[in-house]
Amino acid sequence: MKKAAGQVQRGRGRPRSFDQEAALERAMVLFWERGYEATSLDELSAAMGISPSSLYATFGGKEQLFRAAVDRYLAREGGNMGCILAEEPTARGAVRRLLETAADELTRPDHPSGCMIALAGTQCSPGARPVQGLMRGHREAWHASLRARIQRGIEDGELASDTDAAALATFYSTVLLGMSVQARDGASRESLRAAVEAAMRAWPGAPRGP
């Protein structure tokens, strides 16, 4: 049968390619802004500019896409902690810089407010417990790194030998996560910087000499 005049012949060629990195970036931002369970596959597909079938074929599904988005976030937005803890010569300086950096980053206008690791997987149904566990694991790793840096400060004589490194790490981890919630609620950079100053006044004094 002849094709009608002006009719375009459509072949079965290969599926249209797309920029996977750009698509993953858009998925990361959406998950960061809305959280894991509040983000639907349709919304993800629309934001990424691909069909649901392409999403599954490329990333393996919503949970796998979320894990890839978290890895992308940690490699860029969430990768400051390790550098700060390693570079600062004192534990106090490391904690101050960590909190000050967070105050700046959590309130930047060019991406969603708050921290993806703190906010994107806290409320999950039983079916999404692996996602909740993933995010909790990252927060626990951050806490462990902070505790290790404080413990090193104790061993270096910066802090008294009876300083409770675990309790101090928990306190400053709580401040850090609370700042993320405050930023999501609209707190300004200035108000978070003021909170940092208040938190640093709780830092233990130097050990007394003999």
Side-chain angles (χ1 to χ4, degrees):
M1 183 175 69
K2 292 183 179 181
K3 65 180 189 244
Q7 182 178 344
V8 178
Q9 183 72 36
R10 295 185 182 274
R12 290 178 172 270
R14 297 173 62 186
R16 180 174 63 87
S17 62
F18 64 96
D19 187 333
Q20 292 187 25
E21 291 300 313
L24 181 57
E25 175 75 14
R26 290 191 287 269
M28 181 195 75
V29 171
L30 197 60
F31 279 130
W32 185 355
E33 183 177 32
R34 301 188 182 184
Y36 176 74
E37 289 213 310
T39 306
S40 70
L41 278 171
D42 287 342
E43 290 169 330
L44 286 165
S45 296
M48 297 167 75
I50 60 176
S51 66
S53 60
S54 292
L55 188 156
Y56 274 98
T58 305
F59 298 101
K62 181 180 175 182
E63 182 179 330
Q64 291 86 343
L65 175 61
F66 181 77
R67 289 175 179 271
V70 168
D71 288 343
R72 187 178 185 86
Y73 176 88
L74 288 171
R76 193 180 64 193
E77 307 293 343
N80 290 328
M81 176 178 275
C83 292
I84 290 172
L85 296 181
E87 292 172 357
E88 288 297 321
T90 66
R92 187 180 190 280
V95 170
R96 171 178 281 280
R97 181 177 161 195
L98 182 65
L99 296 180
E100 289 178 342
T101 300
D104 296 342
E105 292 296 317
L106 296 174
T107 55
R108 278 175 50 184
D110 59 339
H111 60 53
S113 58
C115 169
M116 184 179 182
I117 304 303
L119 301 173
T122 53
Q123 297 294 327
C124 291
S125 64
R129 290 290 165 76
V131 165
Q132 194 172 37
L134 170 72
M135 305 304 271
R136 182 173 60 249
H138 285 305
R139 292 191 295 270
E140 289 173 348
W142 284 357
H143 179 272
S145 296
L146 186 56
R147 177 179 178 176
R149 184 63 188 89
I150 292 171
Q151 183 61 45
R152 183 151 65 93
I154 296 171
E155 294 166 0
D156 290 345
E158 177 192 349
L159 293 162
S161 59
D162 61 350
T163 300
D164 189 334
L168 201 57
T170 297
F171 173 74
Y172 285 105
S173 293
T174 301
V175 172
L176 184 62
L177 295 176
M179 288 169 62
S180 185
V181 175
Q182 290 290 318
R184 180 57 58 89
D185 285 345
S188 67
R189 173 182 176 274
E190 291 73 23
S191 67
L192 293 187
R193 281 274 187 158
V196 171
E197 292 300 321
M200 292 312 301
R201 286 196 286 272
W203 186 262
R208 295 181 179 179

